[in-house]
Amino acid sequence: GAVVSQHPSRVICKSGTSVKIECRSLDFQATTMFWYRQFPKQSLMLMATSNEGSKATYEQGVEKDKFLINHASLTLSTLTVTSAHPEDSSFYICSASRGAGTEAFFGQGTRLTVV
Amino acid sequence: GIQVEQSPPDLILQEGANSTLRCNFSDSVNNLQWFHQNPWGQLINLFYIPSGTKQNGRLSATTVATERYSLLYISSSQTTDSGVYFCAVTGGSYIPTFGRGTSLIVHP
């Protein structure tokens, strides 16, 4: 199978600071990565689509200056939550696929708590 | 965009029982996946099944693309099957759309 590693799994930060979350495809090259946010008892909400070497495409309502996404290589994408506020506390999950429309594999998720 | 509806929203079973989860979608798709989200939040790939039938142990899935639905069958359920089952589809835009999930509790 394909393995996607997301780090950290859990992070607590102070309001106003920035947090970086990494998503790595360990045994395949991921041309496309997706970042999701999940609230308790709800489904996954797509935040942005990240294609290697190009700017991320953000979903409507997602602030691109607040949620910085970088997909600098075929195995790594990062999500940086800038100037974090308590309302940014959530479960963030990444997925990676070899190409658009192909099978997607998910990381373990990151539980962010902003205090 | 594509609408995805999953049913039932909640399901409670006794260990050993069988169940069927359904995923309806509103448009043609080029990708359909079933996932199991465990209590720790990890999404586990169950099936990549844009069409046809697949089986993996006690689980099997069937997608009838022409009628725009997919079914996930769980036989002889175990407590470790508990969690949320999601269906996700991708259409022409290649943007994945998730259903709201089916929350399954299996009692010993």
Side-chain angles (χ1 to χ4, degrees):
Chain A
V3 180
V4 176
S5 176
Q6 188 173 338
H7 178 81
S9 58
R10 188 179 292 267
V11 59
I12 301 173
C13 71
K14 292 184 177 180
S15 290
T17 62
S18 296
V19 175
K20 181 183 283 188
I21 302 170
E22 291 188 348
C23 181
R24 293 181 183 274
S25 57
L26 298 186
D27 53 1
F28 69 100
Q29 293 187 328
T31 59
T32 304
M33 288 185 172
F34 298 100
W35 287 95
Y36 299 86
R37 185 172 179 174
Q38 187 179 30
F39 293 102
K41 308 287 187 186
Q42 294 191 22
S43 186
L44 279 73
M45 181 187 77
L46 180 65
M47 299 175 66
T49 302
S50 167
N51 291 301
E52 186 268 338
S54 61
K55 291 184 178 180
T57 302
Y58 290 80
E59 295 300 300
Q60 192 172 9
V62 178
E63 300 176 58
K64 62 181 180 181
D65 293 331
K66 179 166 188 60
F67 299 100
L68 301 179
I69 291 172
N70 183 276
H71 193 164
S73 77
L74 285 171
T75 59
L76 174 64
S77 178
T78 59
L79 166 67
T80 301
V81 182
T82 63
S83 187
H85 288 161
E87 55 264 34
D88 298 327
S89 298
S90 192
F91 190 61
Y92 293 88
I93 316 175
C94 72
S95 74
S97 64
R98 292 178 175 86
T102 63
E103 187 173 5
F105 301 90
F106 282 78
Q108 303 94 317
T110 297
R111 192 163 303 283
L112 170 64
T113 303
V114 184
V115 297
Chain B
I2 298 178
Q3 306 300 311
V4 181
E5 292 185 1
Q6 289 187 243
S7 60
D10 300 283
L11 187 58
I12 300 175
L13 299 175
Q14 207 66 31
E15 200 167 31
N18 302 327
S19 62
T20 300
L21 282 58
R22 188 177 181 101
C23 173
N24 292 334
F25 43 95
S26 61
D27 205 345
S28 58
V29 299
N30 51 42
N31 178 1
L32 186 146
Q33 290 185 250
W34 283 99
F35 300 93
H36 174 214
Q37 187 169 38
N38 65 23
W40 296 272
Q42 172 81 58
L43 277 108
I44 310 297
N45 286 42
L46 298 178
F47 294 102
Y48 171 75
I49 188 167
S51 64
T53 297
K54 290 186 178 180
Q55 180 158 6
N56 184 2
R58 295 182 296 104
L59 303 182
S60 63
T62 295
T63 297
V64 184
T66 53
E67 297 186 21
R68 299 179 184 169
Y69 72 89
S70 182
L71 302 174
L72 177 68
Y73 306 96
I74 303 174
S75 64
S76 303
S77 58
Q78 300 176 357
T79 56
T80 51
D81 294 332
S82 296
V84 183
Y85 290 80
F86 287 105
C87 165
V89 304
T90 304
S93 68
Y94 298 107
I95 301 298
T97 302
F98 278 74
R100 291 176 177 269
T102 292
S103 177
L104 172 64
I105 298 174
V106 181
H107 288 302

